[in-house]
Amino acid sequence: MTEQAIERIRHLIKDGTLPPGARLPPEQELAAELGLSRNLLREAVRSLVTTRVLEVRRGDGTYVTSLSPELLLEGVGLAVEMMRGDDLLEITEVRRLFEPVATGLAAARITADQLADVERHLNAMIAAQDDIEALNHHDDAFHRAVFDATGNKSLSALLGGIASRTLRARVWRGLVEENAAGRTIAEHAAIYRALAAGDAPLAQAVALMHVSTTETWLRENLGRSRSGADPQTVR
């Protein structure tokens, strides 16, 4: 019954009765309109708040959110954060399938300001190469800047959530692999050069090499972690 209640509210949003930013009618009025009990309506609203479709503003009421891709797809990143082991490998495969294509798209669309932003994060990585945590923070920001340059908000939100939630695995690699920082910076520098040249095929190729390197390393080392490392480290 709760699922049916959720679907009824979704229908009002999808057909434009409740567009993005609209305030929901008072609880009693909406419950009567939808033929629901007030308790069932509350359950449905709570569920839609959790999925970022609705937001409750204290003292003001309940509103439809902006329904922007970055907001609605936020749950993808939260789900990825909970994955471990073989599930993390599957997410890394998803990165390999989508991230190179997105990088190639960025090379064809990137503006001068966006390219400068990518370069800024690359320089920050170089400056932080002796600090693994800081290096990977700027690594994440570098990729987000590339994703934003695609001009595709849905793709950017999806990949941003996936890439950032695999950050712990990249930190783990940086801690245990010799010269991981140097190789990581070199791979990012190659991506930047391809973007600067506006060479989409090259950008796609170097991004594929970058993600595949991480995936290969993770596959080779994940088994070792099961016998010794704290599972939390392998997220």
Side-chain angles (χ1 to χ4, degrees):
M1 292 181 68
T2 301
E3 287 296 326
Q4 292 175 3
I6 291 171
E7 186 53 40
R8 290 181 188 180
I9 298 175
R10 282 177 176 163
H11 180 73
L12 292 178
I13 295 171
K14 287 188 287 185
D15 71 7
T17 302
L18 292 172
R23 185 178 185 275
L24 268 63
E27 183 181 273
Q28 186 172 356
E29 179 183 331
L30 184 59
E33 179 183 342
L34 297 177
L36 304 171
S37 70
R38 294 176 70 173
N39 284 339
L40 195 56
L41 177 63
R42 287 172 192 153
E43 287 293 328
V45 167
R46 275 196 288 268
S47 177
L48 291 170
V49 167
T50 300
T51 55
R52 309 294 196 272
V53 174
L54 299 177
E55 63 175 333
V56 177
R57 301 178 187 174
R58 289 176 178 259
D60 190 15
T62 302
Y63 289 78
V64 181
T65 67
S66 65
L67 302 180
S68 64
E70 55 268 32
L71 188 64
L72 296 178
L73 291 172
E74 185 177 290
V76 173
L78 296 174
V80 171
E81 189 176 50
M82 302 305 295
M83 294 181 179
R84 303 161 185 253
D86 292 338
D87 291 333
L88 181 58
L89 285 174
E90 291 187 358
I91 290 300
T92 306
E93 284 185 346
V94 173
R95 280 192 70 197
R96 174 164 50 82
L97 290 170
F98 287 96
E99 191 168 315
V101 176
T103 306
L105 187 61
R109 297 179 174 178
I110 196 165
T111 66
D113 287 344
Q114 290 170 331
L115 183 62
D117 196 31
V118 174
E119 183 180 23
R120 179 171 60 84
H121 293 304
L122 174 61
N123 289 335
M125 289 178 65
I126 295 171
Q129 58 187 302
D130 294 326
D131 183 337
I132 296 301
E133 291 280 355
L135 172 64
N136 281 281
H137 169 76
H138 294 299
D139 179 338
D140 184 50
F142 176 99
H143 287 291
R144 285 182 177 274
V146 174
F147 302 152
D148 287 344
T150 66
N152 186 317
K153 293 182 179 179
S154 297
L155 182 62
S156 179
L158 178 62
L159 284 174
I162 290 173
S164 65
R165 302 299 175 173
T166 59
L167 185 62
R168 295 310 308 171
R170 283 177 277 161
V171 172
W172 176 41
R173 179 188 177 193
L175 291 172
V176 302
E177 184 181 28
E178 185 178 357
N179 197 32
R183 280 190 286 273
T184 295
I185 290 171
E187 290 168 5
H188 285 77
I191 292 172
Y192 169 75
R193 288 193 296 271
L195 293 173
D199 190 330
L202 178 59
Q204 184 168 339
V206 293
L208 176 60
M209 181 64 70
H210 171 57
V211 178
S212 296
T213 298
T214 302
E215 181 184 359
T216 299
W217 185 89
L218 188 59
R219 287 186 183 281
E220 291 174 349
N221 288 272
L222 190 58
R224 301 175 193 174
S225 72
R226 294 187 180 117
S227 62
D230 182 347
Q232 290 289 335
T233 310
V234 195
R235 287 199 296 174

